[in-house]
Coordinates of all heavy atoms in Angstrom, one line a residue:
P27 N 134.0 43.9 -0.3 CA 135.3 44.2 -1.0 C 136.2 43.0 -0.8 O 136.9 42.7 -1.7 CB 135.8 45.4 -0.3 CG 134.6 46.1 0.3 CD 133.6 45.0 0.7
Q28 N 136.1 42.2 0.3 CA 136.9 41.1 0.5 C 136.7 40.0 -0.5 O 137.6 39.2 -0.8 CB 136.7 40.5 1.9 CG 137.0 41.5 3.1 CD 135.8 42.2 3.5 OE1 135.0 42.8 2.7 NE2 135.5 42.1 4.9
F29 N 135.5 40.0 -1.1 CA 135.1 38.9 -2.0 C 135.4 39.3 -3.5 O 134.8 38.7 -4.4 CB 133.7 38.5 -1.8 CG 133.5 37.8 -0.5 CD1 132.2 37.6 0.1 CD2 134.6 37.2 0.3 CE1 132.0 36.9 1.3 CE2 134.4 36.6 1.4 CZ 133.1 36.5 2.0
K30 N 136.1 40.3 -3.7 CA 136.3 40.8 -5.1 C 136.8 39.7 -6.1 O 136.4 39.5 -7.2 CB 137.3 41.9 -5.2 CG 137.5 42.5 -6.6 CD 138.6 43.5 -6.6 CE 138.9 44.0 -8.1 NZ 139.9 45.0 -8.1
S31 N 137.6 38.7 -5.5 CA 138.2 37.7 -6.3 C 137.1 36.7 -6.8 O 137.4 35.9 -7.8 CB 139.3 37.0 -5.5 OG 138.7 36.3 -4.4
I32 N 135.9 36.7 -6.2 CA 134.9 35.7 -6.7 C 133.9 36.4 -7.5 O 132.8 35.6 -7.9 CB 134.4 34.9 -5.5 CG1 133.6 35.7 -4.5 CG2 135.5 34.1 -4.9 CD1 133.0 35.0 -3.4
Q33 N 133.9 37.6 -7.8 CA 132.8 38.3 -8.4 C 132.5 37.8 -9.8 O 131.4 37.7 -10.3 CB 133.0 39.8 -8.4 CG 134.2 40.3 -9.2 CD 134.3 41.8 -9.2 OE1 133.4 42.5 -8.8 NE2 135.5 42.3 -9.6
H34 N 133.5 37.4 -10.5 CA 133.5 37.0 -11.8 C 132.9 35.5 -11.9 O 132.1 35.2 -12.8 CB 134.8 37.0 -12.6 CG 135.3 38.4 -12.6 ND1 134.8 39.5 -13.1 CD2 136.5 38.9 -12.1 CE1 135.5 40.6 -13.0 NE2 136.6 40.2 -12.3
H35 N 133.2 34.7 -10.9 CA 132.6 33.4 -10.8 C 131.1 33.5 -10.5 O 130.3 32.7 -11.2 CB 133.3 32.6 -9.8 CG 134.8 32.5 -10.0 ND1 135.7 33.4 -9.5 CD2 135.5 31.5 -10.6 CE1 136.9 33.0 -9.8 NE2 136.9 31.9 -10.5
L36 N 130.7 34.5 -9.7 CA 129.3 34.6 -9.4 C 128.5 35.1 -10.7 O 127.4 34.8 -11.0 CB 129.1 35.5 -8.3 CG 129.5 35.0 -7.0 CD1 129.5 36.1 -5.8 CD2 128.6 33.8 -6.5
R37 N 129.3 36.1 -11.4 CA 128.6 36.6 -12.7 C 128.4 35.5 -13.7 O 127.5 35.4 -14.3 CB 129.4 37.7 -13.2 CG 128.9 38.2 -14.5 CD 129.7 39.5 -15.1 NE 129.6 40.6 -14.2 CZ 130.6 41.0 -13.5 NH1 131.7 40.4 -13.5 NH2 130.5 42.1 -12.8
T38 N 129.5 34.6 -13.8 CA 129.4 33.5 -14.7 C 128.3 32.6 -14.3 O 127.5 32.1 -15.2 CB 130.7 32.7 -14.7 OG1 131.7 33.6 -15.2 CG2 130.6 31.5 -15.7
A39 N 128.0 32.4 -13.0 CA 126.9 31.5 -12.6 C 125.6 32.1 -13.0 O 124.7 31.3 -13.4 CB 127.0 31.4 -11.0
Q40 N 125.5 33.4 -12.8 CA 124.2 34.0 -13.2 C 123.9 33.9 -14.7 O 122.8 33.7 -15.2 CB 124.2 35.5 -12.8 CG 122.8 36.2 -12.9 CD 122.9 37.7 -12.4 OE1 123.7 38.4 -12.9 NE2 122.2 38.0 -11.3
E41 N 125.0 34.1 -15.5 CA 124.9 33.9 -17.0 C 124.5 32.5 -17.5 O 123.9 32.3 -18.4 CB 126.2 34.4 -17.6 CG 126.5 35.9 -17.5 CD 127.8 36.3 -18.1 OE1 128.6 35.4 -18.4 OE2 128.1 37.4 -18.2
L42 N 124.9 31.5 -16.6 CA 124.7 30.2 -17.0 C 123.4 29.6 -16.3 O 123.2 28.4 -16.6 CB 126.0 29.3 -16.7 CG 127.2 29.6 -17.4 CD1 128.3 28.8 -16.9 CD2 127.0 29.4 -18.9
D43 N 122.7 30.3 -15.5 CA 121.6 29.7 -14.8 C 120.6 29.0 -15.6 O 120.1 27.9 -15.3 CB 120.9 30.8 -14.0 CG 121.4 31.0 -12.6 OD1 122.0 30.0 -12.0 OD2 121.4 32.1 -12.0
K44 N 120.3 29.5 -16.8 CA 119.2 29.0 -17.6 C 119.8 27.8 -18.5 O 119.1 26.8 -18.6 CB 118.6 30.0 -18.5 CG 117.7 31.1 -17.6 CD 117.0 32.0 -18.5 CE 116.1 33.0 -17.7 NZ 115.4 33.9 -18.5
R45 N 120.9 28.0 -19.2 CA 121.3 27.0 -20.1 C 122.2 26.0 -19.6 O 122.3 24.9 -20.1 CB 122.0 27.7 -21.3 CG 123.3 28.4 -21.0 CD 123.8 29.0 -22.3 NE 125.2 29.6 -22.2 CZ 125.3 30.9 -21.9 NH1 124.2 31.7 -21.8 NH2 126.4 31.5 -21.9
E46 N 122.9 26.3 -18.5 CA 123.8 25.2 -17.9 C 123.8 25.3 -16.3 O 124.7 25.8 -15.6 CB 125.3 25.5 -18.2 CG 125.7 24.9 -19.6 CD 125.7 23.4 -19.6 OE1 125.8 22.8 -18.5 OE2 125.4 22.8 -20.7
P47 N 122.6 25.0 -15.8 CA 122.4 25.2 -14.3 C 123.3 24.3 -13.4 O 123.7 24.7 -12.3 CB 120.9 24.6 -14.1 CG 120.6 23.8 -15.2 CD 121.4 24.4 -16.4
V48 N 123.8 23.2 -14.0 CA 124.8 22.4 -13.2 C 126.1 23.2 -13.0 O 126.6 23.2 -11.9 CB 125.0 21.0 -13.9 CG1 126.3 20.4 -13.2 CG2 123.8 20.1 -13.7
V49 N 126.5 23.8 -14.1 CA 127.8 24.5 -14.1 C 127.6 25.7 -13.2 O 128.5 26.1 -12.4 CB 128.2 24.9 -15.5 CG1 129.5 25.8 -15.4 CG2 128.4 23.7 -16.4

Side-chain angles (χ1 to χ4, degrees):
Q28 300 95 307
F29 290 164
K30 181 185 175 183
S31 64
I32 61 175
Q33 65 179 344
H34 303 298
H35 302 86
L36 291 170
R37 179 179 292 109
T38 298
Q40 192 177 60
E41 292 176 347
L42 295 177
D43 269 333
K44 291 184 178 179
R45 64 178 183 269
E46 279 292 338
V48 169
V49 180

